[in-house]
Amino acid sequence: MPSISVTMIEGYDDEAKERLCIALTGAVRQVLPANPEGIVIALNEVPAANYMRGGKHKQPAPALPDAARLVREFLGHMEARDLNAASAMLADTFTMAFPGGVNMNTLDELIAWAKPRYRFVRKTYERFDTASGDEGPTVYCYGTLSGEWLDGAVFEGIRFIDRFEMENGLLTRQDVWNDMGEAKNG
């Protein structure tokens, strides 16, 4: 039965603590063949007044946003064409890679690239998977696309996977894979 004890400055909300416990449970299961029910995570909170580092009292840093929720929110802003809200979620170094070797850095470039391809696209989500990384979390989003081609023909059920990297609560990279080319030409 693996057991992890974490000591942290008090001040984090229950959601942040739950996300931490879930992430630690997942980390154990990536290395050990442990049943989740057998993994014990104990969070020990130290009052800020009782915590010092470098001879100075410290306050807890704000918890990072839930990575999958952040991606879903970004994609929702994109579908609603709220480009200002979507852009606010991007790091200055944000890059996108689309099928066919198309690389872009801004949402305006993406809109211009998509304009001669289809009238609109909507995503139906099957799931979001989050993986830990050295620079921050990576979120994979799976599902299907539906929408309308330029000639008015409707399409649906086209598979897609989006992969998002993030750092410090901002999206830094999006990789897109889908079967739109096969559906359009097939």
Side-chain angles (χ1 to χ4, degrees):
M1 172 174 77
S3 178
I4 296 175
S5 179
V6 177
T7 302
M8 55 197 280
I9 303 174
E10 73 178 1
Y12 291 100
D13 64 25
D14 289 343
E15 180 196 10
K17 290 186 274 188
E18 181 177 358
R19 289 183 6 214
L20 178 59
C21 289
I22 290 169
L24 290 170
T25 300
V28 168
R29 295 191 73 218
Q30 288 181 23
V31 178
L32 304 177
N35 182 314
E37 293 296 319
I39 300 170
V40 176
I41 309 294
L43 300 181
N44 305 297
E45 295 183 283
V46 176
N50 296 346
Y51 181 88
M52 293 183 94
R53 192 173 63 238
K56 297 190 186 325
H57 286 284
K58 300 293 181 177
Q59 296 297 317
L64 293 171
D66 178 272
R69 189 179 308 148
L70 183 81
V71 166
R72 187 162 194 147
E73 185 180 331
F74 169 76
L75 293 170
H77 290 316
M78 290 299 296
E79 188 172 312
R81 288 297 184 252
D82 186 350
L83 300 183
N84 288 333
S87 292
M89 302 173 82
L90 305 178
D92 292 340
T93 58
F94 181 72
T95 60
M96 296 171 272
F98 279 76
V102 178
N103 296 301
M104 295 168 268
N105 298 99
T106 69
L107 300 182
D108 288 335
E109 287 177 293
L110 173 60
I111 300 300
W113 175 78
K115 192 172 186 172
R117 289 168 167 53
Y118 45 79
R119 289 187 182 168
F120 69 89
V121 172
R122 290 195 179 95
K123 293 183 176 186
T124 300
Y125 306 108
E126 292 177 20
R127 73 178 198 253
F128 290 79
D129 294 335
T130 304
S132 299
D134 290 341
E135 302 299 321
T138 299
V139 175
Y140 291 86
C141 172
Y142 303 78
T144 58
L145 303 172
S146 60
E148 189 175 297
W149 299 115
L150 292 176
D151 64 5
V154 174
F155 62 85
E156 61 184 13
I158 298 174
R159 300 178 310 161
F160 81 89
I161 296 174
D162 288 346
R163 178 186 179 276
F164 290 89
E165 295 176 12
M166 58 193 65
E167 192 173 334
N168 298 319
L170 295 174
L171 301 172
T172 58
R173 182 174 178 85
Q174 178 183 10
D175 292 291
V176 176
W177 294 274
N178 63 50
D179 293 334
M180 285 189 86
E182 286 76 8
K184 179 68 174 167
N185 297 324

